[in-house]
């Protein structure tokens, strides 16, 4: 059977899993880690770095290292998260050609789907290394609360990375899949997911015949671990300002170090009561003088700093349970997802609210990727009976007279679904209607997210309210929306799939995919060259080491001296092909080196 993988494309970390036999498992990366930082960097030598190696150099190359790109993907230039990133991110956030957002890495502008594509690609490579075969298809997860633009942008990342995303599923739903997989249980569960950038809560019914039905879902895409880090950073910055009168925010490098230290302290406080934050030479003052930052953060203090953030998640839980028409006591198990659910304050608050200890059997960092892999396998396996019934997290509708928002598909409707409504013209002889499609919960249309627009033209002349137009919405299993409008009398119909909203045009996506493919070819060639180089250098060292002994053994014959001179030339030539990065020549020399190595071994064995 064809291989498909599940990818949890996280704000902070990403994870890839596969089902082998009947067992889903997470695939470790080359370093042996089961998660890979969702970080991308470009070095001075224009080399692309992804994952741990990008994270390791983040401090010294802060301006060219992107983290938390998921917060910006599918967002308009003037949206609050982009505005926040413009002010605080150490990397340069630039306006793109379609009011979208780009990131400047060493003078080249990258769209957010391109950044995510680099991470997706890395996850694909991790899977390919492990499976020893190419992987072309994946199921990718997104926060349940992602709107259509964000989903579409994620889908575009797949196209750019050369990975066919066969389905996008919601992270909490994936977690529930991994939790319920193979268990044959009937149970109502809540998935509490607090990651690096987002919070999601979903309530699901799992039934023993492998139906996973989401009843209600909600969340906040501006709430996650990074906010906790920011609170700690603010506390550090303020303390430093009070003590030294110096504002660390002025220094990008200092900010990056503070951010790292804040996160590290937060993580330490999950298992310890105190964490020491020690940042020597945090900022230079005057010519040869630098100030140091050293502070102790107590768990209690961190809990005070972040208390309201946790409370916000609990309020969303309350609303979601209510929306599901349930009592808290109806929830039979709580699944924790996301690195932030290791924070004791979070665990305590969840246990308190739900009146039960959260389920311990699932690994919060891995469960989402496992669920994605389970879904991926189910999608290509005809024998699978598994059925996933998800919901749309936002209300969908159109703008009507007076700028009001008219709902067509309410929040938390099971998808796929379609609905239609009949509208009438508002002016005499109105021959065209403009349909503006929005997603959101505000009664003023423009306060919601604009997904797309189109104009139905060629309506017949008639007094106002006499022409009836049927507007139909359709949401597919990926949560992607298409809309059509039909003149009921003439049957004239126009429709759009709301797709161009990731901020990129088809052509741009294609170009980015081509660029990426070229990059990957170069990278593979470069990896092959490096492997050859390593082998050649190893043999060259060995020959070099035994040269003296070989000279003593065969140096007294002309034949021997000639052979030794040839070997010396070969070493020089091989070194030259390495310096010139000439793969074809090095390949030839490598073969010759192997032969020479054998001869040397033979000679020395006789000596
Ligand atoms: P995720 O997006 O699920 O990978 O979650 C990442 C977030 O969890 C980041 O904000 C991390 O700092 C945070 N995190 C990871 N491990 C821990 C831990 N042991 N204690 C507290 N926070 C953690």
């Amino acid at each position: 059977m064809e291989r498909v993988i599940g990818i949890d494309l996280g704000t902070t970390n990403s994870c890839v899993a596969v089902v082998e036999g009947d067992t889903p498992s997470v695939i470790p990366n080359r370093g042996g880690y089961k998660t890979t930082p969702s970080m991308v960097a470009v070095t001075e030598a224009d080399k692309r770095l992804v994952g741990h190696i990008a994270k390791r150099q983040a401090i010294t190359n802060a301006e060219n290292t992107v983290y938390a790109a998921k917060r910006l993907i599918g967002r308009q230039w003037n949206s609050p998260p982009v505005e926040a990133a413009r002010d605080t991110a150490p990397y340069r956030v630039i306006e793109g050609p379609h009011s979208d957002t780009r990131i400047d890495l060493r003078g080249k502008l990258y769209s957010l789907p391109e950044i995510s594509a680099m991470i997706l690609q890395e996850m694909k490579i991790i899977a390919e290394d492990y499976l020893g075969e190419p992987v072309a298809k994946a199921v990718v997860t997104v926060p349940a609360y992602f709107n259509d633009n964000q989903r579409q942008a994620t889908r575009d990342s797949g196209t750019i990375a050369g990975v066919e995303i066969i389905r996008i599923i919601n992270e909490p739903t994936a977690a529930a899949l991994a939790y319920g997989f193979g268990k044959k249980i009937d149970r109502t569960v809540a998935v509490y997911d607090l990651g690096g950038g987002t919070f999601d809560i979903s309530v699901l019914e799992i039934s023993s015949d492998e139906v996973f039905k989401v009843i209600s879902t909600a969340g906040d895409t501006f709430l996650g671990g990074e906010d906790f880090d920011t609170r700690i950073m603010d506390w550090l910055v303020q303390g430093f300002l009070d003590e030294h009168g110096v504002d660390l925010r002025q220094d990008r490098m200092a900010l990056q170090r503070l951010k790292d230290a804040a996160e590290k302290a937060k993580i330490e406080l999950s298992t310890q009561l105190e964490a020491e934050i020690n940042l020597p030479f945090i900022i230079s003052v005057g010519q040869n003088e630098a100030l140091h930052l050293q502070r102790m953060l107590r768990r209690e203090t961190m809990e005070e700093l972040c208390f309201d953030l946790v409370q916000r998640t609990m309020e969303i839980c309350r609303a979601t349970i209510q929306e599901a028409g349930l009592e808290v006591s109806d929830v039979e198990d709580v699944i924790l997802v996301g690195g932030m659910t290791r924070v004791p304050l979070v665990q305590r608050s969840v246990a308190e609210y739900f009146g039960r200890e959260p389920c311990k059997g699932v690994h919060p960092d891995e469960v989402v990727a496992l669920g994605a892999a389970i879904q991926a396998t189910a999608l290509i396996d005809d024998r699978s009976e598994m059925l996933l019934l998800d919901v749309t997290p936002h209300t969908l509708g159109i703008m009507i007279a007076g700028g009001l928002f008219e709902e067509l598909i309410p929040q938390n409707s099971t998808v796929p679904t379609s609905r239609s409504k009949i509208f009438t013209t508002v002016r005499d002889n109105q021959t065209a209607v403009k349909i503006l499609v929005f997603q959101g919960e505000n009664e003023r249309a423009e306060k919601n997210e604009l997904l797309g627009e189109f104009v139905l033209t060629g309506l017949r002349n008639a007094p106002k309210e006499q022409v009836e137009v049927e507007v139909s919405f359709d949401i597919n299993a990926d949560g992607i929306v298409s809309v059509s409008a039909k003149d009921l009398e003439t049957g004239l119909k126009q429709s759009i799939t709301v797709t161009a909203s990731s901020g990129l045009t088809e052509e741009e996506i294609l170009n980015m995919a081509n660029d990426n493919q070229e990059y990957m070819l170069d990278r593979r060639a470069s990896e092959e060259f490096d492997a050859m180089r390593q082998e050649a250098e190893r043999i060259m060292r060995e020959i070099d080491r035994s040269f003296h002994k070989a000279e003593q053994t065969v140096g007294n014959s002309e034949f021997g001296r000639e052979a030794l001179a040839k070997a010396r030339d070969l070493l020089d030539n091989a070194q030259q092909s390495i310096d010139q990065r000439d793969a074809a020549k090095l390949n030839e020399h490598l073969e010759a080196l192997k032969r020479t190595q054998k001869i040397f071994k033979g000679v020395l064995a006789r000596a």
Side-chain angles (χ1 to χ4, degrees):
M1 202 162 64
E2 173 185 27
R3 293 297 194 149
V4 279
I5 51 176
I7 300 176
D8 168 10
L9 188 60
T11 309
T12 328
N13 293 299
S14 294
C15 183
V16 56
V18 68
V19 177
E20 289 182 286
D22 275 335
T23 315
S25 58
V26 165
I27 304 176
N29 62 25
R30 280 183 198 170
Y33 297 100
K34 289 189 168 178
T35 60
T36 299
S38 303
M39 280 191 161
V40 167
V42 175
T43 66
E44 212 171 343
D46 233 9
K47 196 164 174 221
R48 186 196 287 183
L49 305 178
V50 184
H52 284 100
I53 53 171
K55 186 166 184 172
R56 249 177 260 134
Q57 54 84 72
I59 289 174
T60 49
N61 186 24
E63 289 190 11
N64 301 293
T65 305
V66 190
Y67 61 86
K70 190 174 173 182
R71 284 198 162 189
L72 307 179
I73 197 165
R75 299 276 191 189
Q76 292 260 310
W77 173 246
N78 53 13
S79 62
V82 175
E83 272 170 8
R86 266 146 64 184
D87 292 341
T88 59
Y91 47 85
R92 287 172 299 271
V93 183
I94 309 272
E95 183 170 6
H98 322 287
S99 301
D100 61 328
T101 306
R102 307 264 162 135
I103 292 168
D104 176 354
L105 297 178
R106 299 206 184 266
K108 185 168 176 216
L109 293 191
Y110 293 86
S111 66
L112 270 309
E114 275 179 293
I115 303 284
S116 288
M118 295 180 201
I119 300 163
L120 275 183
Q121 184 128 47
E122 189 68 20
M123 304 321 285
K124 172 177 138 108
I125 293 171
I126 291 170
E128 288 175 339
D129 277 357
Y130 171 85
L131 295 168
E133 59 185 271
V135 173
K137 291 181 180 169
V139 167
V140 174
T141 57
V142 297
Y145 226 57
F146 254 24
N147 66 33
D148 207 58
N149 293 344
Q150 293 165 299
R151 283 168 202 268
Q152 192 55 50
T154 305
R155 194 164 264 292
D156 292 345
S157 311
T159 310
I160 296 166
V163 184
E164 189 194 339
I165 299 183
I166 55 171
R167 184 66 54 84
I168 287 179
I169 61 171
N170 294 332
E171 288 159 11
T173 316
L177 271 182
Y179 162 89
F181 181 67
K183 278 208 181 100
K184 306 258 180 247
I185 45 169
D186 293 287
R187 204 168 284 179
T188 303
V189 299
V191 181
Y192 177 103
D193 177 356
L194 190 58
T198 54
F199 171 67
D200 271 315
I201 170 84
S202 291
V203 181
L204 294 100
E205 266 168 14
I206 301 176
S207 62
S208 48
D209 52 358
E210 297 206 297
V211 179
F212 293 76
K213 186 176 190 317
V214 181
I215 312 172
S216 178
T217 188
D220 188 335
T221 40
F222 308 142
L223 181 57
E226 304 251 346
D227 297 300
F228 289 64
D229 303 346
T230 306
R231 289 285 166 88
I232 299 173
M233 261 171 86
D234 289 346
W235 177 79
L236 288 170
V237 167
Q238 190 56 48
F240 200 82
L241 190 65
D242 293 345
E243 194 180 335
H244 300 286
V246 176
D247 187 1
L248 293 173
R249 293 197 184 281
Q250 306 309 323
D251 187 324
R252 273 177 195 261
M253 177 102 113
L255 271 185
Q256 183 62 40
R257 285 180 68 194
L258 275 171
K259 189 181 138 32
D260 279 4
E263 186 186 7
K264 202 165 144 260
K266 175 189 73 181
I267 292 175
E268 269 176 42
L269 291 177
S270 290
T271 47
Q272 290 161 31
L273 293 174
E274 281 186 336
E276 190 187 330
I277 299 161
N278 201 344
L279 295 168
F281 306 103
I282 184 74
I283 198 160
S284 42
V285 282
Q287 268 209 325
N288 292 318
E289 222 185 304
L291 292 173
H292 317 295
L293 184 150
Q294 188 176 22
R295 280 192 93 178
M296 199 61 116
L297 177 61
R298 296 190 11 240
R299 187 191 280 174
E300 227 172 278
T301 312
M302 182 195 128
E303 294 188 346
E304 277 165 28
L305 293 172
C306 304
F307 184 76
D308 63 305
L309 297 173
V310 180
Q311 280 314 303
R312 259 166 70 195
T313 70
M314 301 323 301
E315 272 150 35
I316 300 172
C317 288
R318 204 162 292 133
T320 314
I321 302 277
Q322 207 172 17
E323 170 82 29
L326 297 173
E327 299 290 331
V328 179
S329 54
D330 294 329
V331 174
E332 295 162 283
D333 217 343
V334 184
I335 304 163
L336 295 182
V337 183
M340 282 301 295
T341 57
R342 293 218 186 79
V343 173
L345 173 66
V346 172
Q347 293 182 349
R348 266 199 329 267
S349 307
V350 172
E352 224 165 82
Y353 172 66
F354 285 96
R356 63 179 65 245
E357 284 302 318
C359 154
K360 292 269 186 266
V362 293
H363 196 301
D365 296 333
E366 299 171 11
V367 64
V368 170
L370 292 172
I374 292 167
Q375 171 70 351
T377 308
L379 282 173
I380 56 156
D381 183 357
D382 300 337
R383 295 165 307 159
S384 171
E385 308 254 293
M386 204 176 79
L387 182 62
L388 198 61
L389 297 171
D390 218 320
V391 294
T392 170
H394 297 283
T395 303
L396 280 161
I398 62 171
M399 188 197 273
I400 55 163
L404 293 179
F405 179 55
E406 173 80 15
E407 167 182 316
L408 265 112
I409 299 183
Q411 195 175 20
N412 286 322
S413 302
T414 301
V415 291
T417 187
S418 55
R419 303 278 166 87
S420 48
K421 238 181 202 175
I422 294 166
F423 295 88
T424 52
T425 46
V426 291
R427 289 190 307 276
D428 290 338
N429 298 327
Q430 180 180 346
T431 55
V433 281
K434 188 169 180 182
I435 312 274
L436 289 161
V437 182
F438 288 91
Q439 189 168 39
E441 281 68 50
N442 201 292
E443 59 182 36
R444 306 279 327 159
E446 87 271 14
K447 295 254 166 156
N448 296 317
E449 181 94 7
L450 177 67
L451 291 187
E453 56 179 86
F454 66 105
V455 182
L456 180 64
T457 51
L459 301 179
R460 74 213 135 77
N461 281 323
K464 68 176 178 187
E465 293 173 9
Q466 293 289 305
V467 179
E468 289 185 322
V469 176
E470 184 186 54
V471 177
S472 306
F473 273 48
D474 186 87
I475 310 181
N476 71 12
D478 287 331
I480 292 186
V481 183
S482 32
V483 183
S484 66
K486 186 163 133 190
D487 178 338
L488 278 184
E489 189 153 312
T490 61
L492 177 75
K493 190 172 170 177
Q494 264 154 45
S495 59
I496 49 164
T497 303
V498 189
T499 52
S501 45
S502 74
L504 298 178
T505 64
E506 292 270 327
E507 194 185 341
E508 280 175 314
I509 295 170
L510 202 68
N511 286 339
M512 289 169 186
N514 287 338
D515 279 358
N516 186 58
Q517 206 174 11
E518 251 169 52
Y519 169 84
M520 282 316 289
L521 288 175
D522 283 353
R523 173 174 152 164
R524 255 184 226 125
S526 159
E527 277 174 359
E528 274 167 26
F529 180 85
D530 286 341
M532 245 180 348
R533 193 200 63 203
Q534 275 174 13
E535 192 180 2
E537 283 175 346
R538 185 180 52 75
I539 299 174
M540 284 157 72
R541 274 195 304 274
E542 199 182 308
I543 295 176
D544 204 44
R545 264 201 307 271
S546 42
F547 223 89
H548 184 63
K549 223 166 170 198
E551 247 168 0
Q552 286 176 337
T553 317
V554 297
N556 46 10
S557 74
E558 193 169 332
F559 177 75
R561 279 195 299 277
E562 231 171 68
L564 287 169
K566 259 193 182 160
R568 193 43 89 192
D569 281 349
L570 176 61
L571 291 185
D572 290 345
N573 291 338
Q575 187 57 49
Q576 210 174 30
S577 60
I578 288 173
D579 293 343
Q580 294 169 348
R581 289 192 77 81
D582 187 333
K585 274 225 179 86
L586 180 58
N587 194 25
E588 273 173 33
H589 292 142
L590 184 59
E591 291 311 310
L593 282 169
K594 284 181 189 162
R595 284 197 300 274
T596 310
Q597 181 190 29
K598 246 193 202 153
I599 296 170
F600 265 58
K601 270 192 183 146
V603 168
L604 294 182
R606 271 187 278 127

